[in-house]
Amino acid sequence: MATINDNYLKLKAGYLFPEIARRVSAFAEANPDAPIIKLGIGDVTEPLPEACRTAMVKAVEDMGDRTSFHGYGPEQGYLWLREKIAQHDFQSRGCDIDASEIFISDGSKCDCGNILDIFGSNNSIAVTDPVYPVYVDTNVMAGHTGPANETGEYGGLTYLPISAANAFTASIPHEKVDLIYLCFPNNPTGAVASKEHLQAWVNYARAHGSIILFDAAYEAFITDPTIPHSIYEIEGARECAIEFRSFSKNAGFTGTRCALTVVPKTLMGKADDGSEVALHGLWNRRQSTKFNGVSYIVQRGAEAVYSPEGQAQTKALIDFYMENARIIREQLTAAGIAVYGGVNAPYVWVKTPNDLTSWDFFDKLLHTCHIVGTPGSGFGAAGEGYFRISAFNSRENVNEAMRRITEKFRV
């Protein structure tokens, strides 16, 4: 009989979002007439921008003509898209990022897990707590951790607690760690990091030879002009950071799938013999071997994001969701519920009322209000007693959800 990867057996009973889906499905089956509103998983609801749709239709037509047909594309992504990204997302902000350092992919979630392929199994790893579960679970799957304890913390990981007390920005660890996962604007708390805070992380990483894995999937939602959108706005980041970005939330590509990872050519890792190796080449080799690239049609849609029409339309989408976040934040605050985030991110991080646990609040919201959110404890032990509410939904649903919640949970 073939053996399995036993590391999968260390994973907790269910990944957070499938467990939510299981509970919601059971409730819906028992209560088929309940008008459920889902503010849990961060999936978008509004249509793709017209500029993207138009470009994709044109690309489909290209595929119907032998002279403009596209088969396998470059695994790193088409140059015309990477050049637009380099110019608009990085160089316009003073970031020294070249198109050749950008890799197009089918999702930043995928890349956050796949990036482990190019790193050794003996690295020490730091994650915030609460944390986007993918960072932890993919390290468990790769055999980089021990088993989980009773609070769900895995041996071998360094957890950096974030809370209201430290404005949900992790303190720099005293000990050396090799890989550091940072997510700003943060999922799940909605917090952001100042330039000074990120500079401190970059300084730490350079001093210790560490690599920062910087998830900037929500950078487009930043409204404060003093907050960096990219780690590469920070001096020295080219020598210590990999950045992940996505078209999923800013342009509604959750079901279309397009993202990118930036690996500077100046970024180095250490081989077993002590020699330094460029990570750019390793990631390129990994992608060329395991990935055949994002479709031509999707990449044309992503390219249209950078057209004048695409820029205006994606801004309108972002503004729409951020207005939802404002409504959620202000309505819950008026009801006496403590909330965080929702200013520079599409997530509102809620302190559960009446000392309810995260999952008790989830069940109570589902059963009494027919509202679905995300239990904070699913993001880590430090998330217990908190709850994430997503702004990704229609205005009608957001208004109705807030009406139901504030009627039942006014403090």
Side-chain angles (χ1 to χ4, degrees):
M1 182 178 293
T3 61
I4 65 166
N5 179 353
D6 276 2
N7 292 303
Y8 278 69
L9 303 181
K10 294 187 294 189
L11 293 166
K12 288 180 285 185
Y15 179 62
L16 174 61
F17 299 114
E19 173 60 19
I20 290 173
R22 185 192 67 78
R23 294 193 186 203
V24 173
S25 178
F27 174 79
E29 185 175 343
N31 303 272
D33 296 326
I36 298 172
I37 297 176
K38 297 180 180 180
L39 298 174
I41 296 177
D43 196 0
V44 296
T45 58
E46 303 309 295
L48 286 173
E50 183 180 358
C52 300
R53 301 197 309 268
T54 300
M56 293 171 76
V57 169
K58 171 60 169 59
V60 170
E61 294 172 349
D62 290 346
M63 301 296 277
D65 187 313
R66 182 184 297 274
T67 62
S68 56
F69 173 80
H70 288 74
Y72 290 123
E75 290 90 352
Q76 193 175 343
Y78 287 101
L79 182 60
W80 35 260
L81 175 55
R82 291 185 284 119
E83 286 179 337
K84 291 280 177 55
I85 293 169
Q87 176 188 350
H88 286 266
D89 291 344
F90 296 102
Q91 294 164 9
S92 67
R93 295 188 174 277
C95 304
D96 182 19
I97 295 299
D98 185 75
S100 63
E101 298 174 308
I102 295 169
F103 295 80
I104 306 301
S105 77
D106 58 353
S108 58
K109 174 182 178 180
C110 307
D111 286 354
C112 285
N114 292 336
I115 199 71
L116 295 176
D117 282 3
I118 68 171
F119 289 106
S121 60
N122 57 346
N123 287 305
S124 54
I125 300 161
V127 296
T128 60
D129 181 10
V131 64
Y132 181 42
V134 171
Y135 310 154
V136 172
D137 287 0
T138 52
N139 274 287
V140 175
M141 293 171 179
H144 297 168
T145 75
N149 62 20
E150 64 280 358
T151 65
E153 295 178 332
Y154 286 94
L157 296 182
T158 297
Y159 288 86
L160 308 174
I162 55 177
S163 66
N166 59 14
F168 300 100
T169 54
S171 300
I172 307 294
H174 297 295
E175 69 277 13
K176 177 185 181 297
V177 291
D178 300 306
L179 299 179
I180 304 158
Y181 288 85
L182 295 180
C183 176
F184 290 110
N186 185 254
N187 177 16
T189 68
V192 290
S194 67
K195 187 172 184 178
E196 293 73 21
H197 182 71
L198 292 181
Q199 187 68 67
W201 273 111
V202 168
N203 293 345
Y204 169 90
R206 294 184 70 189
H208 293 87
S210 310
I211 301 293
I212 296 171
L213 303 175
F214 191 78
D215 187 347
Y218 299 95
E219 61 80 26
F221 294 87
I222 294 173
T223 58
D224 185 340
T226 69
I227 299 299
H229 287 244
S230 169
I231 192 71
Y232 302 117
E233 294 179 52
I234 308 304
E235 184 179 355
R238 280 185 56 87
E239 283 71 50
C240 65
I242 293 172
E243 182 164 304
F244 308 95
R245 289 198 178 202
S246 175
F247 291 92
S248 284
K249 308 303 167 64
N250 65 329
F253 274 49
T254 55
T256 308
R257 311 310 300 148
C258 195
L260 62 113
T261 292
V262 182
V263 184
K265 293 180 179 178
T266 48
L267 187 61
M268 309 299 286
K270 184 180 291 186
D272 283 344
D273 63 7
S275 62
E276 291 190 348
V277 179
L279 296 182
H280 181 277
L282 298 184
W283 183 241
N284 187 59
R285 184 68 171 87
R286 189 268 174 206
Q287 293 297 81
S288 298
T289 300
K290 292 190 175 184
F291 185 56
N292 267 337
V294 175
S295 79
Y296 168 76
I297 297 166
V298 169
Q299 290 192 61
R300 281 299 186 193
E303 181 193 29
V305 167
Y306 299 101
S307 68
E309 298 81 7
Q311 290 286 281
Q313 291 159 16
T314 53
K315 183 181 185 304
L317 272 181
I318 293 163
D319 290 346
F320 176 83
Y321 291 126
M322 289 310 295
E323 176 65 10
N324 282 351
R326 182 195 65 78
I327 292 168
I328 295 168
R329 191 180 70 250
E330 292 184 356
Q331 288 289 312
L332 294 181
T333 299
I337 298 173
V339 299
Y340 308 90
V343 177
N344 293 286
Y347 296 122
V348 178
W349 190 238
V350 179
K351 185 72 180 73
T352 58
N354 306 319
D355 295 323
L356 290 170
T357 69
S358 297
W359 278 107
D360 284 346
F361 187 57
F362 173 90
D363 288 332
K364 199 169 186 65
L365 268 188
L366 178 61
H367 287 266
T368 64
C369 301
H370 308 150
I371 304 297
V372 178
T374 312
S377 59
F379 297 101
E384 178 55 76
Y386 289 93
F387 198 80
R388 192 190 76 176
I389 295 180
S390 167
F392 294 118
N393 215 306
S394 69
R395 185 64 42 77
E396 179 183 7
N397 278 351
V398 165
N399 284 328
E400 173 61 15
M402 291 306 102
R403 183 191 68 78
R404 296 182 197 174
I405 293 174
T406 56
E407 281 183 359
K408 294 289 185 179
F409 291 96
R410 189 170 293 277
V411 177

